């Protein structure tokens, strides 16, 4: 249920930004905008300002823009404001403004989220499963994995990615245990699992679970690399 609600919210925002792009360019080129709605379906609230009616509609998924003269056969009392009678370049820019605004929005959102900080699960072990490769190798609760085969590991996703693709292969885990650096070889055990499409796949597992601790990684686009 939570996933569905999140999907609807994200889809709604993307559609609204898309339509807002059309709206801004149409206004810029003085094309008549008859309606600009937040949401679809029956009108809940509305207010007319100038030629444009601004609406809040019943279905909160995105929105829509209705331009004057979208239908070339439609009667138009103000042909200079009709979309269908604009020069080809202007019509193309108004149409392209939607996906361009989506792209700019994605870039802006990425920058903002990374500057505020993106939370991630740290690579600290919270639990070791009995009789697992990790238990047999001697990994303990509280061990922090800092590298695998000399490749740095700083979040749990890194650990999962490497282990899943390395079934049956010997991996050298570098861990931090109470301030001491240790190196422990482990061979992930091949087991059956299912991917997001429900298809059966085979992955490597070592039998560890994350501690549940999070950290926030910030990105500064102006910092030196």
């Amino acid at each position: 249920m939570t996933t569905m609600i999140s999907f609807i919210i994200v889809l709604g925002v993307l559609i609204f930004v898309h339509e807002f792009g059309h709206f801004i360019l149409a206004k810029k080129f003085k094309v008549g905008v008859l309606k600009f709605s937040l949401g679809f379906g029956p009108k809940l609230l509305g207010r007319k300002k100038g030629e444009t009616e601004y609406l809040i509609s019943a279905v909160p998924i995105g929105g829509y823009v209705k331009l004057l003269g979208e239908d070339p056969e439609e009667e138009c009392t103000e042909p200079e404001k009709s979309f269908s009678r604009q020069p080809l370049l202007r019509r193309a820019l108004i149409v392209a403004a939607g996906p361009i605004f989506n792209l700019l929005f994605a870039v802006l959102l990425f920058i903002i989220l990374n500057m505020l900080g993106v939370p991630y699960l740290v690579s600290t072990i919270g639990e070791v499963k009995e009789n697992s490769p990790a238990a047999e190798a001697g990994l303990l609760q509280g061990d922090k994995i800092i590298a695998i085969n000399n490749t740095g590991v700083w979040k749990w996703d890194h650990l999962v990615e490497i282990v899943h693709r390395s079934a049956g292969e010997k991996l050298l885990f570098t861990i931090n245990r109470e301030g001491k650096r240790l190196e422990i070889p482990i061979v992930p055990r091949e087991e059956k699992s299912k991917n997001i499409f429900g298809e059966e796949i085979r992955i490597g597992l070592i039998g560890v679970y994350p501690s549940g601790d999070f950290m926030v990684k910030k990105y500064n686009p102006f910092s030196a690399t």
Side-chain angles (χ1 to χ4, degrees), residues 35-46 53-64:
K35 291 183 180 181
F36 180 52
S37 175
L38 175 60
F40 291 94
K43 177 176 76 172
L44 297 179
L45 296 172
E53 184 179 13
Y54 298 89
L55 307 171
I56 297 178
S57 301
V59 183
I61 303 180
Y64 68 89

Side-chain angles (χ1 to χ4, degrees), residues 148-164:
I148 300 177
N149 286 354
N150 296 318
T151 298
V153 171
W154 52 270
K155 63 179 181 178
W156 194 261
D157 285 349
H158 288 162
L159 164 66
V160 171
E161 180 183 349
I162 295 172
V163 171
H164 278 189

Side-chain angles (χ1 to χ4, degrees), residues 29-96:
F29 293 141
K30 299 187 178 349
V31 173
V33 180
L34 302 180
K35 291 183 180 181
F36 180 52
S37 175
L38 175 60
F40 291 94
K43 177 176 76 172
L44 297 179
L45 296 172
R47 181 179 179 183
K48 193 163 186 177
K49 185 176 180 181
E51 66 186 0
T52 306
E53 184 179 13
Y54 298 89
L55 307 171
I56 297 178
S57 301
V59 183
I61 303 180
Y64 68 89
V65 173
K66 180 173 176 56
L67 302 178
L68 179 67
E70 285 183 344
D71 182 356
E73 298 181 1
E74 178 185 353
E75 286 190 21
C76 184
T77 57
E78 299 178 278
E80 72 281 358
K81 290 187 175 183
S82 171
F83 172 76
S84 61
R85 300 190 186 185
Q86 297 299 310
L88 178 60
L89 179 59
R90 285 193 176 188
R91 280 182 284 152
L93 288 173
I94 291 172
V95 171

Side-chain angles (χ1 to χ4, degrees), residues 126-187:
E127 181 184 345
V128 180
K129 188 176 179 180
E130 290 184 7
N131 302 318
S132 66
E136 293 169 359
L139 284 186
L140 302 176
Q141 180 182 7
D143 285 348
K144 181 177 178 60
I145 299 168
I146 56 178
I148 300 177
N149 286 354
N150 296 318
T151 298
V153 171
W154 52 270
K155 63 179 181 178
W156 194 261
D157 285 349
H158 288 162
L159 164 66
V160 171
E161 180 183 349
I162 295 172
V163 171
H164 278 189
R165 67 169 186 253
S166 304
E169 299 178 18
K170 185 177 180 180
L171 300 176
L172 185 63
F173 283 69
T174 304
I175 67 169
N176 185 319
R177 178 180 293 169
E178 297 179 348
K180 295 180 181 179
R181 185 184 178 99
L182 304 174
E183 291 189 341
I184 300 177
I186 305 176
V187 178

